[in-house]
């Protein structure tokens, strides 16, 4: 069965990651999908099909979580694109006592044409949103979202909306952008009451 070769769950350094979909409305300049299909011990993160919740649950049940307290939704795609599986999996992990983090491009509301932020924040312990740039044009040039120029504001709105439901939300930028640009991103994040984290760029991950 495809489930055997599909790497729904993988580890990298001290974390466990859940790769629940390859679907993504973006084509980011720095996306590792452009350069590799492997992360950590994985052999390939391309999936033969979008896993069902049962597929994901089976992968979780096979995995020994003894050394781990958190699982990160950060696949070779945008986790909110597989929204039902994301929420069911987060609920299942919470029942197991495993905390969850979502790494998202923040475009889930555009993908689903409705506000999904409350369901996300109610079920996931930490939400990390990629800001990537300080304005719509720069964002579009880096992220190449299928939704076009409105995506930047939608991403910020998603962060603003999440902040209504949880303190456990942050924007992120990768340290490949200029310091001035990072400062502007920090200013925008602060104006929304959301912290901003600067992530180190890695070709591997
Ligand atoms: S949003 Fe994430 S998965 Fe999608 S292209 Fe950008 S970095 Fe890659």
């Amino acid at each position: 069965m495809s489930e055997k070769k599909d790497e729904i769950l993988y580890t990298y350094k001290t974390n466990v990651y859940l790769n629940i979909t390859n679907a993504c409305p973006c084509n980011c300049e720095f996306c590792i999908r452009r350069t590799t299909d492997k992360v950590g011990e994985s052999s390939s993160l391309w999936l033969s099909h979008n896993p069902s919740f049962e597929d994901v649950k089976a992968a979780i049940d096979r995995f020994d979580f003894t050394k781990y307290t958190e699982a990160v939704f950060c696949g070779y795609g945008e986790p909110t694109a597989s929204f039902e599986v994301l929420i069911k999996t987060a609920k299942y992990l919470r029942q197991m006592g495993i905390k969850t983090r979502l790494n998202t491009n923040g475009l889930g509301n555009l993908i689903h044409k409705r506000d999904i932020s409350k369901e996300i924040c109610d079920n996931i312990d930490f939400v990390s949103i990629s800001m990537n740039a300080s304005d719509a044009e720069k964002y579009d040039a880096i992220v190449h979202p299928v939704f076009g120029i409105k995506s930047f504001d939608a991403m910020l709105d998603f962060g603003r909306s999440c902040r209504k439901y949880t303190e456990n939300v942050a924007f992120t930028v990768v340290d490949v952008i200029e310091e001035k640009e990072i400062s502007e991103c920090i200013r925008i994040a602060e104006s929304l009451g959301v912290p901003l984290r600067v992530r180190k760029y890695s070709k591997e991950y």
Side-chain angles (χ1 to χ4, degrees):
M1 295 292 287
S2 58
E3 196 193 315
K4 265 190 185 153
K5 67 180 172 62
D6 282 353
E7 301 210 37
I8 295 170
L9 189 150
Y10 62 99
T11 59
Y12 179 60
K13 295 187 176 170
T14 56
N15 289 326
V16 182
Y17 292 89
L18 288 157
N19 178 35
I20 63 167
T21 182
N22 287 156
C24 183
C26 305
N27 185 17
C28 299
E29 291 288 327
F30 54 78
C31 183
I32 57 164
R33 306 201 304 182
R34 287 174 174 240
T35 53
T36 179
D37 62 355
K38 298 180 181 64
V39 174
E41 299 299 310
S42 67
S43 54
S44 173
L45 293 176
W46 289 115
L47 300 163
S48 61
H49 68 295
N50 258 350
S52 64
F53 170 65
E54 285 67 33
D55 294 333
V56 178
K57 181 178 176 296
I60 290 170
D61 290 345
R62 280 196 300 270
F63 186 76
D64 178 5
F65 272 91
T66 310
K67 288 188 286 176
Y68 302 92
T69 55
E70 185 190 56
V72 185
F73 293 97
C74 178
Y76 232 45
E78 166 53 34
T80 64
S82 191
F83 188 59
E84 196 184 322
V85 173
L86 172 65
I87 297 298
K88 281 187 177 174
T89 305
K91 285 181 175 170
Y92 184 64
L93 287 164
R94 186 169 278 175
Q95 281 172 15
M96 291 170 62
I98 305 290
K99 288 203 178 298
T100 53
R101 173 156 56 97
L102 168 66
N103 290 354
T104 176
N105 58 27
L107 301 183
N109 291 351
L110 288 180
I111 295 170
H112 298 286
K113 300 187 177 72
R114 68 182 181 87
D115 187 355
I116 62 169
S117 56
K118 185 171 189 311
E119 282 158 278
I120 296 274
C121 296
D122 283 352
N123 291 291
I124 294 172
D125 295 298
F126 198 95
V127 183
S128 184
I129 306 164
S130 300
M131 184 185 289
N132 291 315
S134 69
D135 67 40
E137 284 74 23
K138 287 182 199 139
Y139 180 89
D140 192 56
I142 294 171
V143 176
H144 308 294
V146 295
F147 308 110
I149 205 75
K150 66 182 178 184
S151 304
F152 179 72
D153 284 345
M155 173 274 297
L156 294 183
D157 279 345
F158 179 73
R160 183 189 289 115
S161 190
C162 285
R163 185 63 190 83
K164 283 194 293 191
Y165 304 115
T166 182
E167 288 186 352
N168 297 324
V169 55
F171 287 113
T172 64
V173 291
V174 183
D175 65 357
V176 291
I177 61 175
E178 288 176 10
E179 261 182 47
K180 199 173 149 216
E181 179 69 350
I182 291 176
S183 301
E184 185 57 15
C185 290
I186 291 171
R187 189 195 63 71
I188 293 167
E190 279 176 356
S191 75
L192 300 173
V194 177
L196 183 133
R197 294 178 174 176
V198 181
R199 292 192 292 122
K200 282 221 162 300
Y201 175 70
S202 164
K203 274 190 185 160
E204 194 184 8
Y205 201 52

